[in-house]
Amino acid sequence: MNRTDRILRLERECRLFCRYLLGCEPSDYSIGKYRKAHEVHPDFANDRLRPFDRALVRLGSLTPATARVVDRYSRLFAPRSVFRKKLILMLAILESSPGTLERLETPTTSSALTVYLMIGARCIGFAAELTLAAAVLLPLQLVSLAGSPGRDRGN
Amino acid sequence: MANVTVVGSGASGVHFALSLLKKGHCVHMLDIGYETEPPTGAELDLKALKAQLPDPVEYFLGSKFEALSLPGAKKEYYAFPPSKGPVFRQPEGFGSSSSGFSPLFSFSQGGLAQAWTGGLYPFNDADLETFPFDHADLAGYYSEVAHRIGVSGVRDDLAQFMPVHEHLLPPLELDRHSRLLLDRYAAQRSYFNRELGCYIGRSRVAALTEDREGRRACDYLGRCLWGCPVGAFYTPSMTLEECLRYPQFVYDDASWVERFSANSDRLVSSITVRSTATGASRELPVETLALAAGTLSTSRIFLASLERMRGMPTVLGGLMDNRQMLMPFVNLTLAGSRYEPRSYQYHQLAIGLEGKSSANYIHGLVTALTTALAHPIIAAMPLDLRTSVFVFRNLRAALGILNVNLHDFRRPDCTVSLAPPSGEAGSRELRIEYRSPPDERSRIREAQRGMKSVLRRLGCVVPPRSVHVRPMGASVHYAGTIPMSERPRPLTSSPLGRSHDFENLYFVDGTTYPFLPAKNITFTLMANAVRVADLAF
């Protein structure tokens, strides 16, 4: 992949992750910072991606729906995967930038009871979708691990 | 008048030096002395700062994203501000290795306390039981330090654990979260005291609540973690500035003290100083030497000197540090509330938990999570990130962290030594070996149980599997390698910190502690340094 393709891919990724996490479009500033992190931070060096990591990034950056599936899966089964690290990077950039900060600060409701009910519902959704995601992705991950002996399996 | 050479500009060194200067003595301070950046954007609260900085991501995450907290790195709930990076910068040629210990070193002006959280908790008689003096001997020096730096707090239920001294400024304003917790405690005080052995009160902190001497009172900008822009929050570099106003004070930075030499009368005669700027070494004559470089660096200088003079390696035992646990909690009734970014950011409340004996006292510090970076907390939740963001924004005002401290005591198998020479030029590697006491696990379990009971009673819950037991070394309360001893034994110091091996050598930092209570030690470091300067010179 040449430099221009890589920049375009990172920009697409950034837009999708921002929409997925906070439901808004990233500013040009945030996109620039997302790109820069991929240049200077060793965890995002493209040539170091293992096949399964690469697959998670590709799948997770297709649509917000696939991002959600991979996000849920990676929380439990691949917590150190590059996909998850990219999402955390996006979050860190958004919380440090003006404009998007409000979406991390403002509660969605002021009733404590409603908050707990909504969290409960989301946890049930998380568990259900995690089961489905695991059914598809876990075998792939196991195959990938079996095919790369000696590699770090703690992703 | 004495000529005293002081090594190190940390909390102990600057207060020791200032006391000597006030008495008319001459002080030559040698320090590597990396400078930290002054706070940017005065008068702005954190939100305004984010909006007005030209590059906020660089400010909060660093130019190389070094403050980004990713899975697999050291688990902490706070990302460290990039602006504090120079506090932990190490000179070229410096090296250390460790087992069972994760040491932090500072070579900056002001030392490690340039990045502290400002807790000031005087030791009481129980804490000082194995020291060769008691609280009454130290009380006046706590007051003197409080007068110098500004300590806010109040006499409350914690006074039995943290004696009250003079010059206490009015307490800081509590945020809503902390006020709620304190009100709940007050409403059930007898239950907390009798059934749980728990006492809760206001933290004592090095933050001004009144304007004084060029520093402004805390105006609750919420930027404590990022660097107080109005000077309300104390750091030792302020006292260094005060020292610099004395004509008989000489400050040499870029000076790395490697060792000292002594004559046949057991008197230190000179020190070897390497320039961190040019790499050149020089010998400086010394009349009286005071090591205040922090327990590990002071030990290193002492070890290198002994080895050079005796021709054989020495091992110092008794290294101590406070085991800390971070216990996040949710204050259930605050879900859905808006959080208060304009508030004092470090601990506003302290919790004292009685142990089976007075030495087993457990100290907790309550911090509400408001303006710290959120991504480490969100990423630590056991859910996908999107759901975690949802949970976080709705619970942000309800979140808090209890930092629990346990005591430590000297043991011969916790050692500091120098690694064998590698043949390369440069300083010798410092080796640190720490072994936890056999009963530590049960102490940790007991402390967790006790603190969780307290939090439950306060209407808070600790999420399952969220307690983080920090590695030894993380609290940076290092002490104990050259303890005070009434009896003149080798590798110990007198009650006034004078070496029993060299008559004109003083230790004025944590190296001389014979015991480490479960409290932040910085206040006692400063008070003891003032005491040594007062009584020994």
Side-chain angles (χ1 to χ4, degrees):
Chain A
M1 186 183 288
N2 65 34
R3 184 174 157 74
T4 314
D5 290 345
R6 182 171 153 80
I7 288 171
L8 287 173
R9 184 180 56 75
L10 287 175
E11 192 175 321
R12 269 201 311 274
E13 237 175 61
C14 177
R15 288 184 190 284
L16 187 128
F17 289 167
C18 187
R19 279 202 301 274
Y20 166 65
L21 286 173
L22 296 189
C24 62
E25 285 296 321
S27 62
D28 289 345
Y29 172 75
S30 299
I31 293 171
K33 285 290 162 186
Y34 186 79
R35 246 183 358 232
K36 188 185 172 197
H38 283 75
E39 288 163 15
V40 298
H41 199 290
D43 283 37
F44 302 110
N46 205 33
D47 52 356
R48 290 190 195 167
L49 290 193
R50 289 168 295 182
F52 187 69
D53 257 339
R54 203 182 299 273
L56 285 186
V57 172
R58 281 196 186 154
L59 181 62
S61 53
L62 283 177
T63 67
T66 59
R68 194 175 68 201
V69 170
V70 179
D71 183 15
R72 291 184 170 186
Y73 177 83
S74 64
R75 179 63 188 96
L76 248 67
F77 296 104
R80 295 180 189 183
S81 62
V82 174
F83 173 79
R84 187 168 163 77
K85 287 178 179 174
K86 282 177 181 248
L87 278 187
I88 293 169
L89 166 68
M90 188 72 248
L91 190 61
I93 291 171
L94 293 174
E95 74 161 319
S96 307
S97 309
T100 41
L101 192 62
E102 275 292 313
R103 289 170 185 268
L104 274 169
E105 292 185 327
T106 323
T108 49
T109 170
S110 60
S111 152
L113 180 64
T114 313
V115 167
Y116 293 123
L117 288 173
M118 288 166 78
I119 290 174
R122 288 186 183 228
C123 287
I124 292 168
F126 168 72
E129 205 159 306
L130 178 68
T131 313
L132 288 173
V136 178
L137 292 172
L138 193 55
L140 284 177
Q141 185 173 8
L142 293 174
V143 168
S144 166
L145 282 174
S148 55
R151 292 286 186 94
D152 173 21
R153 296 180 180 206
N155 59 345
Chain B
M1 289 294 108
N3 285 302
V4 184
T5 302
V6 179
V7 181
S9 68
S12 310
V14 291
H15 283 280
F16 178 71
L18 184 60
S19 298
L20 292 179
L21 294 167
K22 284 184 171 184
K23 292 175 83 174
H25 298 298
C26 297
V27 176
H28 183 190
M29 182 173 278
L30 294 157
D31 191 22
I32 291 178
Y34 296 130
E35 287 187 55
T36 46
E37 291 168 27
T40 184
E43 316 286 328
L44 300 174
D45 66 20
L46 200 75
K47 201 181 275 191
L49 191 68
K50 279 183 186 174
Q52 295 192 20
L53 281 172
D55 192 348
V57 168
E58 180 163 329
Y59 180 79
F60 289 104
L61 296 178
S63 59
K64 293 182 177 165
F65 293 82
E66 57 270 25
L68 179 66
S69 181
L70 292 173
K74 279 187 283 185
K75 184 187 174 187
E76 291 290 354
Y77 288 107
Y78 293 98
F80 209 74
S83 59
K84 303 270 176 77
V87 176
F88 300 105
R89 182 180 161 197
Q90 296 183 352
E92 202 176 320
F94 174 83
S96 70
S97 62
S98 59
S99 160
F101 203 83
S102 303
L104 278 171
F105 297 89
S106 176
F107 300 93
S108 71
Q109 278 182 17
L112 285 164
Q114 290 299 112
W116 72 329
T117 55
L120 295 161
Y121 303 106
F123 289 5
N124 61 10
D125 279 333
D127 300 327
L128 294 167
E129 199 175 332
T130 55
F131 285 65
F133 49 82
D134 55 25
H135 174 74
D137 296 319
L138 211 49
Y141 302 110
Y142 283 125
S143 299
E144 168 64 17
V145 174
H147 179 62
R148 289 180 186 179
I149 72 175
V151 180
S152 62
V154 68
R155 180 188 291 274
D156 57 20
D157 286 6
L158 290 173
Q160 60 178 308
F161 304 115
M162 307 182 302
V164 177
H165 47 79
E166 291 171 36
H167 306 299
L168 199 58
L169 298 172
L172 292 157
E173 287 172 23
L174 287 177
D175 62 16
R176 185 183 167 204
H177 191 165
S178 302
R179 183 175 301 284
L180 197 62
L181 295 176
L182 198 57
D183 288 348
R184 283 178 185 156
Y185 165 74
Q188 310 170 75
R189 178 179 276 110
S190 59
Y191 180 88
F192 276 98
N193 297 168
R194 277 190 227 141
E195 302 299 321
L196 302 176
C198 165
Y199 299 80
I200 302 180
R202 305 295 302 269
S203 288
R204 307 245 187 98
V205 291
L208 297 183
T209 48
E210 295 168 355
D211 293 353
R212 54 185 276 187
E213 293 163 16
R215 293 166 60 198
R216 291 214 347 239
C218 176
D219 49 7
Y220 306 96
L221 294 171
R223 291 172 53 188
C224 314
L225 181 67
W226 308 95
C228 175
V230 298
F233 188 75
Y234 172 80
T235 53
S237 58
M238 294 174 179
T239 304
L240 179 60
E241 277 176 35
E242 199 176 339
C243 290
L244 286 164
R245 289 184 216 126
Y246 284 80
Q248 75 273 29
F249 180 70
V250 177
Y251 177 72
D252 272 347
D253 63 356
S255 299
W256 185 356
V257 176
E258 294 185 313
R259 62 178 178 272
F260 58 81
S261 303
N263 60 26
S264 53
D265 295 328
R266 296 195 306 131
L267 287 170
V268 173
S269 54
S270 66
I271 49 175
T272 305
V273 185
R274 177 156 32 121
S275 164
T276 53
T278 65
S281 285
R282 60 192 165 131
E283 289 284 313
L284 288 179
V286 164
E287 201 174 279
T288 302
L289 179 63
L291 296 180
T295 293
L296 295 179
S297 292
T298 287
S299 299
R300 176 199 194 94
I301 295 167
F302 190 56
L303 287 167
S305 311
L306 288 182
E307 187 172 324
R308 180 92 168 181
M309 285 181 264
R310 296 175 178 173
M312 53 189 286
T314 305
V315 176
L316 298 174
L319 176 66
M320 300 181 282
D321 186 29
N322 293 123
R323 176 71 84 180
Q324 284 188 334
M325 283 177 279
L326 299 180
M327 196 177 280
F329 64 88
V330 180
N331 190 335
L332 292 171
T333 52
L334 286 176
S337 305
R338 284 190 78 96
Y339 81 103
E340 293 172 74
R342 285 189 72 107
S343 57
Y344 179 71
Q345 287 299 300
Y346 295 132
H347 29 90
Q348 298 185 20
L349 300 179
I351 299 178
L353 206 55
E354 288 172 333
K356 285 176 188 157
S357 68
S358 55
N360 282 300
Y361 166 78
I362 298 165
H363 193 64
L365 302 164
V366 181
T367 307
L369 292 169
T370 48
T371 65
L373 285 180
H375 73 270
I377 303 155
I378 295 173
M381 292 183 186
L383 298 161
D384 60 273
L385 274 185
R386 186 180 152 112
T387 308
S388 300
V389 167
F390 175 84
V391 172
F392 179 78
R393 67 190 286 189
N394 283 291
L395 293 185
R396 187 167 194 171
L399 293 176
I401 280 194
L402 177 61
N403 183 344
V404 183
N405 288 258
L406 304 183
H407 74 272
D408 200 5
F409 55 95
R410 297 188 73 252
R411 296 180 301 286
D413 55 355
C414 297
T415 60
V416 179
S417 60
L418 291 178
S422 64
E424 293 169 22
S427 179
R428 298 267 297 282
E429 192 178 85
L430 189 69
R431 292 175 64 122
I432 301 154
E433 298 203 15
Y434 186 91
R435 282 177 180 69
S436 297
D439 67 338
E440 193 191 40
R441 280 190 179 187
S442 64
R443 279 171 53 202
I444 288 174
R445 272 200 303 273
E446 196 180 319
Q448 283 194 22
R449 229 183 355 253
M451 287 298 186
K452 281 182 180 174
S453 301
V454 170
L455 288 170
R456 260 197 308 277
R457 197 75 191 179
L458 289 170
C460 305
V461 293
V462 177
R465 302 183 62 184
S466 63
V467 177
H468 171 44
V469 179
R470 302 181 82 195
M472 287 310 296
S475 85
V476 208
H477 299 160
Y478 310 149
T481 50
I482 308 165
M484 291 181 226
S485 161
E486 298 270 19
R487 217 157 47 96
R489 289 180 292 133
L491 310 183
T492 62
S493 65
S494 77
L496 285 179
R498 189 166 79 172
S499 168
H500 280 141
D501 300 276
F502 303 97
E503 286 184 13
N504 59 343
L505 172 65
Y506 287 82
F507 303 102
V508 286
D509 51 25
T511 48
T512 59
Y513 282 30
F515 174 70
L516 189 62
K519 291 176 184 167
N520 314 42
I521 61 170
T522 312
F523 199 17
T524 304
L525 288 176
M526 295 188 275
N528 186 51
V530 175
R531 171 184 155 271
V532 172
D534 185 40
L535 300 180
F537 293 87

